[in-house]
Amino acid sequence: MKELKIKDDYMIFEKNSFQKNHKTIDIRFGLTYPNVYRTAMSSLGYNILYNHLNDRQDTWCERIIYPDIKTIESNTPMRYLDIISFTLQFEEDYFNVLEMLKNAEIPLKREERDENHPLIIAGGPCATANPMPLSDYIDLFIIGEGEDVLDKFLDTYIKSPDKDLKKFLDIRGIYVPKYENKTEIALIDNMDCAYHITEPVISKSDDKDFQTIFNNTIMLNVSRGCMRGCRFCMAGYLYRPARETDCEKLIDIAMKNRENTGLNKVTLIGAAVSDYSNLENLIHGLEKEGFQISTPSLRIESITKETLETLKRSGLKTITLAPESITRLRKVINKDILDETIFTVIKNAVDLDFKIKLYFLIGIPGESKEDIEELAEYMKKIANMHYNIKNVKFSVNPLIPKPHTPMQWEPYDFKDIKNKTRYLKKEMKKYNIKCESPKKSMIQYILSCGNRDVGAIIEKSLTKTPTLKEWKEILPNYNIDDELPWDNINVSVEKRFLKIEHSRLNNLKQTPWCATSECYNCGACEK
C-alpha cells in the first residue's frame, strides 16, 4: 500500500496505483477530477480511464483530484505535465476547473496559453452534452466514451506534440472550440470489447472524506445506456443504444478482481442495472461464487421480490428508488409506473427490513399547486408504510432541463420552484426529507444549457460571488425552432425525434421503451 500525504497528516493508503519512470515514457498525462477524492474514486469512468491509459507503455497517467494541484502518484505540479484532462461529471464542478487552473498558475483562457503550457482537454457527460460554457478555457473536448477516442488522440499527439489542434479534427468524438467543428459522439459498440478493470485502485482511510462511496467493493460495469426514454434524463439520450456486458464475462471479471484485491463484494454499475436482460442469472452466478452483491439504484418496474431477497442476503441495507412524481406527472416525463407497482415494491422492501431512499422531482411541465399538495400526501403515504418513518428518506430535486433531451426547450421558473420547495419543507417537516436549493438548481440549469457567454460568470466567481440577479440575467430561454448552443454536437438522437417527444409530453402521451416496441427511428441505432 502506498502512503499518501493529505494536508499535514498521512490519511490514505492506496494499492494498485501506477508508478512509472517519467524518463522512459513519452506523455505525462494528468487525469484531473474537479471534485473531492471520495467522489472521484467512486466514479467508474474515472477509474476505467486511469487503468486504461496506464496500459499504454508510452503514457504515465497520474491523478489530480481537487483541491490539490499536484499529482497523487509523483507529487508533480500539474503545470509541468504534457496534457491535463478534466472529467466533467457535474456542472457545478466548472468552478473548480478554473480554480485549479488558476492555482496551478496556468492561464485560464486557451488563447493566453502557449507551447510552454499543458494541453487542456475535458471529457465526461457534461462535456459531451454541451461544451460551450467552458469552451474559452478548454483546448478540446472528448465527446462520448473516452476509451477509444483517447487512444486515437494520444497516437496523433505523439506524432506531432505541438499546439496545432487541426490534426485532431478528423478524429470522431473530438470537438475543438477554436474551429467550432461539427462532431459525432464516440461510443463503444460492444461492451464485451470495452475496458473492464481487473486490478482497481484500492484505498483505505479512517477519514470518511477519503473513503469511496462503494468502499471495499468491486465495481462491475454491467451495462451502458438506457432504453427507457425518460424525457428528463440526459444520460438516457446521450448514450443510446443500451449495451450489455455478457453475464459470464462479468462473473469472470469479478473473480479476477477478487484475485487481485481480496475483495468479495460486488457493486453492479449501469444506467439501468435492473433492466439488464440476464440479471437473475448474473446474481445467482455471483452468489454461487461467494460474492456479496449490491447496486446503487434499481428501476422500480424491474424489481422482483426475489431480487430484493438476494440483495438482502448480500448485506444491502438501503434500497434506492425513483418514483419521480404522482401518476399524472409521471406520464409527462414518460415514466408511467403504476402506483400499485410502486407500493408493492415498497411493501416488499419494508417486509425485508430495508431502509428506503426515494427520489422525486418538482417543476415538471404542467405541474400545479394541487399536484404538489398531492405529492406531499403521496410521500406521507409511502413513509407511513414503514414501521419507522425515519427509515424512509426523500430527496426532492427541481427538474433541470438538459441538452439533447425533449426538455431542452423548457425554461426554469425560479419563483415557482422556490414556492413549491417552501411548501414541501413545511408540509413534510416531520419526515426525513431533503430539498435541493432552488438557486443552486437554477445555476445548474444555466451551466447545463447556457452558451459560451456563461464562461464569463464562471470566471468572475473566482474573485467575487455573482448575485442572484446576475444569474437570472443569463437564464436561457429557447423556443422550439431556435438554434441551440450544442447543435454542433451530434449524439445520434435527432432533434426531429426530440421535438416529437416534446409534443408528446405536453399531451401526456407515453412512448413505450425500446425493448417492448418497434424502433422509433430516433437516430441512435441507424448505424
Side-chain angles (χ1 to χ4, degrees):
M1 300 288 281
K2 181 188 175 184
E3 191 174 44
L4 304 177
K5 187 173 182 179
I6 305 294
K7 297 180 181 176
D8 296 324
D9 303 309
Y10 288 96
M11 293 194 294
I12 305 179
F13 297 88
E14 282 191 341
K15 180 181 179 182
N16 295 337
S17 61
F18 286 83
Q19 295 296 323
K20 297 185 179 182
N21 184 347
H22 68 88
K23 295 179 180 179
T24 64
I25 51 98
D26 297 312
I27 300 174
R28 298 284 302 274
F29 191 102
L31 191 65
T32 308
Y33 204 98
N35 207 313
V36 295
Y37 184 93
R38 174 179 170 84
T39 304
M41 295 308 295
S42 299
S43 166
L44 179 57
Y46 185 70
N47 281 274
I48 285 172
L49 291 179
Y50 176 69
N51 282 54
H52 176 63
L53 291 175
N54 274 309
D55 280 354
R56 294 178 62 111
Q57 297 301 311
D58 56 17
T59 302
W60 186 12
C61 176
E62 301 182 64
R63 290 163 296 150
I64 306 166
I65 297 177
Y66 180 86
D68 295 324
I69 53 171
K70 294 182 179 180
T71 65
I72 288 176
E73 284 70 14
S74 66
N75 205 37
T76 301
M78 61 192 288
R79 68 177 181 273
Y80 295 132
L81 303 179
D82 299 308
I83 300 168
I84 296 170
S85 175
F86 286 99
T87 297
L88 303 179
Q89 194 78 33
F90 311 103
E91 290 89 353
E92 293 91 335
D93 290 347
Y94 295 174
F95 302 102
N96 295 342
V97 169
L98 297 196
E99 181 185 332
M100 293 178 82
L101 290 175
K102 179 183 177 183
N103 291 342
E105 300 178 354
I106 297 172
L108 298 181
K109 296 284 184 69
R110 53 183 170 79
E111 293 178 351
E112 297 171 355
R113 298 191 289 264
D114 57 30
E115 297 288 336
N116 297 315
H117 297 111
L119 187 66
I120 309 297
I121 72 175
C126 296
T128 293
N130 180 17
M132 294 306 130
L134 286 182
S135 60
D136 286 339
Y137 308 91
I138 304 295
D139 292 311
L140 63 83
F141 292 88
I142 305 297
I143 306 299
E145 295 169 345
E147 299 112 302
D148 189 48
V149 183
L150 282 173
D151 273 334
K152 295 173 183 174
F153 162 73
L154 291 176
D155 290 344
T156 303
Y157 177 86
I158 285 176
K159 292 176 183 176
S160 179
D162 55 44
K163 288 297 176 69
D164 181 6
L165 302 179
K166 279 187 178 180
K167 58 179 173 285
F168 300 115
L169 291 175
D170 292 333
I171 301 175
R172 181 186 178 121
I174 287 185
Y175 174 72
V176 183
K178 180 179 179 179
Y179 298 108
E180 299 182 347
N181 59 301
K182 293 182 181 295
T183 190
E184 295 183 5
I185 192 170
L187 300 175
I188 301 295
D189 291 330
N190 185 341
M191 280 298 292
D192 291 342
C193 300
Y195 191 92
H196 294 272
I197 299 174
T198 56
E199 200 165 345
V201 173
I202 304 297
S203 57
K204 294 184 182 296
S205 173
D206 293 331
D207 190 325
K208 288 186 177 180
D209 289 340
F210 299 101
Q211 295 173 1
T212 65
I213 296 169
F214 310 116
N215 204 38
N216 295 322
T217 68
I218 299 162
M219 290 189 283
L220 273 190
N221 198 179
V222 171
S223 62
R224 296 183 190 175
C226 176
M227 298 183 290
R228 291 285 181 174
C230 297
R231 293 177 178 133
F232 64 89
C233 180
M234 186 173 77
Y237 287 88
L238 291 185
Y239 300 111
R240 292 187 179 196
R243 293 145 289 148
E244 297 183 347
T245 309
D246 177 73
C247 178
E248 294 302 321
K249 184 176 179 69
L250 287 169
I251 295 170
D252 182 59
I253 292 167
M255 293 177 70
K256 288 178 180 176
N257 270 274
R258 182 164 59 188
E259 290 173 11
N260 293 327
T261 64
L263 298 178
N264 204 49
K265 186 175 182 180
V266 167
T267 298
L268 307 181
I269 304 291
V273 169
S274 48
D275 284 341
Y276 181 69
S277 61
N278 210 3
L279 184 61
E280 294 298 329
N281 285 338
L282 175 60
I283 289 175
H284 291 320
L286 290 169
E287 271 195 317
K288 184 178 178 181
E289 297 297 339
F291 287 101
Q292 288 184 301
I293 306 155
S294 69
T295 184
S297 63
L298 295 164
R299 182 87 186 189
I300 293 173
E301 58 269 61
S302 300
I303 301 173
T304 64
K305 189 172 184 179
E306 290 72 23
T307 301
L308 290 175
E309 289 171 343
T310 299
L311 292 172
K312 186 67 178 180
R313 287 195 302 271
S314 291
L316 190 66
K317 296 179 180 179
T318 302
I319 289 291
T320 303
L321 308 170
E324 311 298 5
S325 191
I326 58 175
T327 303
R328 185 183 73 83
L329 294 176
R330 286 199 295 270
K331 292 180 180 179
V332 175
I333 59 177
N334 202 42
K335 199 168 183 178
D336 190 16
I337 312 169
L338 296 175
D339 280 341
E340 179 183 355
T341 302
I342 294 171
F343 291 128
T344 297
V345 171
I346 291 171
K347 181 182 182 302
N348 288 336
V350 171
D351 290 344
L352 290 167
D353 200 28
F354 278 109
K355 292 181 179 179
I356 306 171
K357 183 174 182 180
L358 301 108
Y359 284 95
F360 285 90
L361 294 170
I362 58 174
I364 293 172
E367 182 182 77
S368 66
K369 181 177 180 292
E370 290 72 25
D371 290 327
I372 294 297
E373 292 170 354
E374 183 180 341
L375 176 61
E377 295 304 312
Y378 191 79
M379 289 192 288
K380 290 176 187 177
K381 181 177 179 180
I382 290 173
N384 290 326
M385 291 176 68
H386 209 291
Y387 61 86
N388 183 352
I389 61 172
K390 295 300 181 182
N391 283 344
V392 181
K393 183 177 181 180
F394 299 101
S395 179
V396 179
N397 301 278
L399 187 152
I400 299 172
K402 297 283 186 175
H404 305 287
T405 74
M407 297 286 184
Q408 65 184 359
W409 295 283
E410 292 294 319
Y412 181 91
D413 190 331
F414 174 75
K415 183 178 180 181
D416 180 62
I417 294 293
K418 189 175 180 180
N419 289 336
K420 290 173 178 175
T421 301
R422 186 184 295 120
Y423 173 83
L424 286 174
K425 282 184 175 180
K426 181 179 179 182
E427 192 67 20
M428 298 289 293
K429 60 184 178 182
K430 295 180 180 179
Y431 297 86
N432 191 352
I433 185 171
K434 180 181 178 182
C435 296
E436 184 59 270
S437 156
K439 178 183 176 182
K440 182 178 178 182
S441 298
M442 182 187 74
I443 292 172
Q444 186 186 142
Y445 168 62
I446 294 168
L447 298 174
S448 297
C449 293
N451 57 24
R452 187 169 287 197
D453 296 339
V454 174
I457 199 168
I458 299 173
E459 184 175 346
K460 179 180 178 179
S461 70
L462 289 174
T463 54
K464 185 178 180 182
T465 302
T467 64
L468 178 62
K469 181 182 177 182
E470 288 177 297
W471 283 110
K472 285 184 175 180
E473 286 174 350
I474 58 172
L475 263 174
N477 185 17
Y478 301 121
N479 293 315
I480 196 74
D481 292 319
D482 284 350
E483 184 176 332
L484 300 172
W486 49 88
D487 277 349
N488 273 6
I489 309 301
N490 178 6
V491 300
S492 296
V493 177
E494 297 174 0
K495 189 185 283 190
R496 166 197 57 80
F497 175 76
L498 298 180
K499 287 182 177 180
I500 293 171
E501 282 295 285
H502 185 267
S503 67
R504 291 175 72 85
L505 76 85
N506 289 322
N507 296 320
L508 303 184
K509 289 184 178 180
Q510 298 302 285
T511 303
W513 68 307
C514 298
T516 62
S517 64
E518 295 181 0
C519 179
Y520 299 116
N521 193 29
C522 72
C525 298
E526 286 183 356
K527 60 184 179 181

